[in-house]
Amino acid sequence: MSTTDSQGEGWPELVRATKTIVVVDVVESVRLMQANEADVIDRWRRFVHEVRSQVLPAHQGRMVKSLGDGMLLEFDDVLAGVAAAQDMHRSMQGFNLDRVATDCLQLRIGVNLCEVVRDHDDIYGSGVNLAARLTSLAKPGGTAISMAVREHLRDGLDADLEDIGECWVKNLPEPIRTWRLSSTVAPSEPASTTKQGLEVGVAVLPFKSLAPGETDALLGELVAEELLTCLSKVPYLSVISQLSTMGLGRRSHQSPQTLAKLLGARFLVQGSCARSGDLVRLHVELMDARSQQVVWAESTSVDMAAVLSGQAAAFAELSAQISRALVGREAERACTAVLPTLESYALLFGAVGLLHRLSLDDFNRAREMLDHLCERHPRSPVPKAWLGKWHVMRLGQGWSPDPKEDGQRALWQTSSALDLAPDHAPSLALDGFVSGYVRKDFATAERRYEQALQANPNESLAWLYRSAMLGYREQHDLAVESALHAQRLSPLDPMRYYFDHFISLTKLLAGDYAGAIDYGLRSLRGNRQHASTLRALVMAQALDGQVEAARAHALELLRIEPGLTISAFRARYPGQRQAQVDRLAEALAMAGVPH
């Protein structure tokens, strides 16, 4: 794209590209300049020099322009842009030493991922304007990011993320979904080895692709998933969920000890892969994260078609060698059904991501994607099981125009998945959840969870959904431990808010209202659109005597689920203990939910 035709020769060529845009603004710059212009200019110039000479080279960024009280920066990579924003906040602290609070320079930073039009001198486009608008939503000393940026970050690893909902900003016709972030924090309840006899913690990181293409990057994720699937069959290993480790291969700035601590793993499986004709060349290493020593390594080649179909025997052999290196015995070779193409693999995880955004438009797009996968792969249980989950979430959000039909469709989808693969652990877990939530058939639900954990003792969803069933049955200690165990198996899950919600629910049912509120607020920080989180939080706050806070959250809940009433809650509540449902219904009434 060039402007020479319309503007004459000599004008710089314009190029379209997808970039991470970072806009930096100084808080109250006018007041600071009026108070001490020379000092502010001196500090700002030295700060800008430090950004140019240290921050940008470290993160491969470009300074588009520097103003008297702000900067416009661009990066090729989201993680680099966010890391640079955090570095700038930290760097600014050094320019505020020995100054009173009113004289300190503080930054507001906005970050957006978008397509821009750029030349050597500047960048243009609505996405640049959005990044600038995001600065107004950041707190002093903080950063605000768009949905497009949020999709690339891992809460608790890249930063501590807070969903502040859909926000209106100047000159934009629609609100924008926004998150605030701060520097990375360690989990408040660090992951650990479990109490169920799973004593060796292992995490399989996505393999580094030696080719630059997007499809090859997905191949690294798929290779890791195949290894993880085989390792998860070993009942004495605590294997971290693939959803928690997905995307961590790009975070080379994190040390093995940091990754292992965040994941709750002692050992890391990592490596590289490269396509060579019909083969995939693999190099696999097992690292002791504490000592950073490689305790086992192997190189091999695998048929590409076998990788895509989930039938590559080499993965079972590699997992057996890893298992022998860890615990002195050979793992059984087993592969579970997977989607047969990389394109489908990417489509599935895209659908799951949209499903848990809980924006109605995205939620319905997820349904279309899952329907497409069912048509493309009629013999795979995976998309059918997730469609069952879609219908249950539709009920839980209060979005169903026909709850009875959605309940029937949920049961039909999970049953269809089990007809195809009776021992598919995720399908068993989801069928158990549907049986308990929709049909209130806890006997079937319990049987399904047992079957899921027999098939895969590390199936985090089975532990998670089992916790709710135990809570409804008032087996409270087991319920809380089951929910915590699920989170230990997937400590960096992209759906961390979902795990926090179940911990909050089990603590609520156990009468631990303070704990329920703590985890409910954590869940809300991850996703403000989850109606079930808000319901549990409202009830916990009301029962804890925090009625005003409960009423405020009840208003937010009713905006998401305007049809919620006490009678509707009673009708769909899965718990069968009359005293339990009466107590919770009374809490909702205290918070102002209509009868």
Side-chain angles (χ1 to χ4, degrees):
M1 175 181 177
S2 174
T3 61
T4 55
D5 291 340
S6 60
Q7 302 290 354
E9 294 186 8
W11 280 75
E13 183 182 8
L14 293 175
V15 178
R16 289 190 177 274
T18 299
K19 297 289 183 178
T20 299
I21 305 303
V22 177
V23 175
V24 182
D25 184 48
V26 177
V27 178
E28 295 185 338
S29 59
V30 174
R31 178 186 63 80
L32 290 166
M33 284 284 191
Q34 290 176 341
N36 194 337
E37 182 180 89
D39 177 63
V40 171
I41 291 174
D42 175 65
R43 282 188 286 160
W44 177 249
R45 292 182 65 202
R46 288 189 288 116
F47 173 71
V48 172
H49 175 73
E50 186 166 309
V51 171
R52 288 184 186 274
S53 61
Q54 298 182 34
V55 176
L56 293 179
H59 301 288
Q60 292 78 53
R62 176 175 87 107
M63 181 172 290
V64 180
K65 63 178 69 174
S66 170
L67 305 173
D69 59 354
M71 288 182 284
L72 175 60
L73 314 173
E74 69 169 18
F75 298 83
D76 291 331
D77 182 74
V78 170
L79 293 176
V82 170
Q86 294 171 317
D87 281 354
M88 284 187 283
H89 285 304
R90 285 190 286 267
S91 175
M92 182 55 81
Q93 294 175 8
F95 293 90
N96 290 324
L97 295 176
D98 301 324
R99 285 177 168 82
V100 296
T102 54
D103 291 340
C104 288
L105 297 180
Q106 289 186 294
L107 306 176
R108 284 193 177 97
I109 298 179
V111 186
N112 185 34
L113 175 67
C114 58
E115 184 180 78
V116 299
V117 179
R118 63 194 299 268
D119 57 29
H120 292 299
D121 301 319
D122 211 339
I123 52 177
Y124 315 90
S126 59
V128 180
N129 296 332
L130 176 56
R133 296 290 181 263
L134 285 168
T135 61
S136 66
L137 300 175
K139 294 179 179 180
T143 302
I145 62 174
S146 65
M147 168 70 80
V149 174
R150 168 66 181 91
E151 293 290 313
H152 291 261
L153 302 182
R154 191 63 59 86
D155 192 8
L157 178 62
D158 301 313
D160 182 27
L161 302 172
E162 178 183 1
D163 181 2
I164 60 174
E166 295 188 336
C167 302
W168 292 92
V169 295
K170 184 178 179 181
N171 294 332
L172 289 184
E174 300 291 337
I176 54 174
R177 187 78 176 270
T178 307
W179 276 260
R180 290 184 179 133
L181 62 84
S182 59
S183 59
T184 304
V185 295
S188 55
E189 292 197 20
S192 63
T193 54
T194 71
K195 300 178 181 179
Q196 277 69 27
L198 308 176
E199 299 177 354
V200 182
V202 181
V204 183
L205 300 183
F207 277 41
K208 180 181 179 181
S209 172
L210 300 181
E214 183 177 349
T215 301
D216 292 284
L218 285 172
L219 178 61
E221 300 273 2
L222 184 55
V223 166
E225 182 187 19
E226 289 298 315
L227 265 180
L228 183 148
T229 296
C230 293
L231 284 171
S232 293
K233 294 290 182 178
V234 183
Y236 40 81
L237 297 182
S238 177
V239 184
I240 302 302
S241 163
Q242 191 257 353
L243 287 174
S244 270
T245 58
M246 186 170 59
L248 296 188
R250 297 174 56 218
R251 292 158 169 82
S252 57
H253 60 287
Q254 297 283 0
S255 69
Q257 295 103 318
T258 298
L259 290 175
K261 182 178 181 180
L262 288 166
L263 291 165
R266 166 74 184 275
F267 293 93
L268 299 176
V269 178
Q270 56 191 352
S272 62
C273 62
R275 300 171 70 170
S276 178
D278 295 332
L279 297 177
V280 179
R281 299 196 312 272
L282 300 177
H283 178 72
V284 189
E285 295 180 349
L286 177 67
M287 174 182 284
D288 184 330
R290 294 180 183 175
S291 64
Q292 295 195 65
Q293 291 182 339
V294 175
V295 297
W296 170 89
E298 181 66 53
S299 295
T300 188
S301 294
V302 186
D303 182 72
M304 181 67 178
V307 174
L308 294 175
S309 64
Q311 302 300 318
F315 288 113
E317 176 58 30
L318 286 169
S319 71
Q321 294 182 44
I322 292 169
S323 180
R324 285 196 296 266
L326 287 170
V327 294
R329 58 173 290 182
E330 183 173 352
E332 296 182 0
R333 300 182 182 185
C335 292
T336 59
V338 296
L339 295 170
T341 67
L342 286 174
E343 290 77 12
S344 294
Y345 174 78
L347 192 62
L348 174 66
F349 279 90
V352 173
L354 290 176
L355 183 73
H356 280 275
R357 281 186 185 178
L358 294 178
S359 158
L360 189 55
D361 288 342
D362 290 335
F363 190 73
N364 290 329
R365 283 175 56 206
R367 164 72 182 274
E368 294 173 2
M369 294 166 74
L370 292 170
D371 281 336
H372 181 70
L373 283 170
C374 286
E375 293 174 4
R376 184 188 291 183
H377 307 288
R379 304 303 301 170
S380 172
V382 177
K384 290 178 171 60
W386 278 105
L387 263 177
K389 175 67 180 304
W390 184 93
H391 286 286
V392 173
M393 291 187 71
R394 194 185 195 196
L395 290 169
Q397 286 293 108
W399 290 342
S400 174
D402 189 340
K404 182 177 180 181
E405 180 182 353
D406 270 306
Q408 291 172 342
R409 286 182 177 272
L411 287 166
W412 185 83
Q413 293 291 355
T414 55
S415 297
S416 298
L418 292 177
D419 286 342
L420 293 169
D423 60 348
H424 186 241
S427 295
L428 287 164
L430 287 163
D431 189 70
F433 185 56
V434 171
S435 296
Y437 188 86
V438 176
R439 298 179 61 188
K440 303 179 177 60
D441 180 359
F442 288 154
T444 298
E446 183 174 25
R447 185 166 64 253
R448 290 291 189 247
Y449 300 144
E450 289 176 354
Q451 292 170 332
L453 294 174
Q454 287 173 2
N456 180 4
N458 301 295
E459 178 52 59
S460 59
L461 286 180
W463 289 104
L464 192 67
Y465 296 148
R466 175 178 175 267
S467 72
M469 179 199 70
L470 292 169
Y472 295 139
R473 286 180 163 180
E474 298 187 348
Q475 296 174 265
H476 298 308
D477 290 344
L478 290 174
V480 172
E481 175 54 33
S482 185
L484 289 170
H485 180 54
Q487 192 172 67
R488 285 194 290 266
L489 288 173
S490 196
L492 295 177
D493 199 292
M495 303 179 296
R496 189 169 75 167
Y497 83 91
Y498 197 61
F499 287 73
D500 284 336
H501 161 63
F502 275 82
I503 299 173
S504 174
L505 175 64
T506 56
K507 287 180 176 288
L508 165 67
L509 299 178
D512 178 4
Y513 303 133
I517 293 168
D518 181 32
Y519 275 94
L521 291 173
R522 294 189 206 184
S523 179
L524 200 61
R525 285 171 62 87
N527 195 331
R528 299 198 76 89
Q529 300 296 113
H530 192 219
S532 296
T533 291
L534 282 164
R535 280 195 300 272
L537 179 59
V538 165
M539 292 185 286
Q541 288 176 325
L543 292 170
D544 196 48
Q546 301 180 31
V547 178
E548 290 304 315
R551 286 182 175 273
H553 283 123
L555 291 174
E556 193 171 351
L557 171 61
L558 290 169
R559 282 194 293 270
I560 295 170
E561 189 182 357
L564 177 63
T565 63
I566 302 296
S567 58
F569 168 77
R570 285 182 176 274
R572 74 183 183 209
Y573 182 68
Q576 298 171 339
R577 311 282 184 172
Q578 188 63 42
Q580 185 183 85
V581 70
D582 287 346
R583 173 168 53 97
L584 299 178
E586 180 183 356
L588 288 176
M590 291 167 59
V593 175
H595 287 277

